[in-house]
Amino acid sequence: MRRSLKLVVLAAAAALPAACAPNPIIARDPVPAPSPDIAYRCSSTPALLNGYWAECERIRREREVVVRTKG
């Protein structure tokens, strides 16, 4: 009994440093982000069993207009 308990403790002690990796893995999206000029207009409709159908279309984003006046 003591021998198996020691093996379990040693296995746990060996696995502990492996759980804290010095360089964590960071997931990166392989698809680059769209440009600021691209936007998406999406609409969804309910479906059976609390599901939804979503449809998105790409549109060009409208430019912001800044109006300045003197006064």
Side-chain angles (χ1 to χ4, degrees):
M1 169 102 171
R2 284 186 170 225
R3 185 169 242 180
S4 64
L5 183 61
K6 282 183 183 179
L7 289 174
V8 170
V9 170
L10 285 174
L16 186 63
C20 301
N23 297 324
I25 298 171
I26 299 172
R28 299 190 189 274
D29 193 2
V31 179
S35 72
D37 293 335
I38 303 288
Y40 291 92
R41 180 176 292 141
C42 297
S43 63
S44 59
T45 55
L48 296 175
L49 299 175
N50 292 332
Y52 283 91
W53 290 103
E55 297 176 8
C56 295
E57 61 179 300
R58 271 176 104 164
I59 59 171
R60 296 214 34 103
R61 185 171 292 179
E62 296 177 8
R63 295 278 181 180
E64 293 182 12
V65 177
V66 178
V67 178
R68 296 183 183 178
T69 60
K70 290 184 177 180

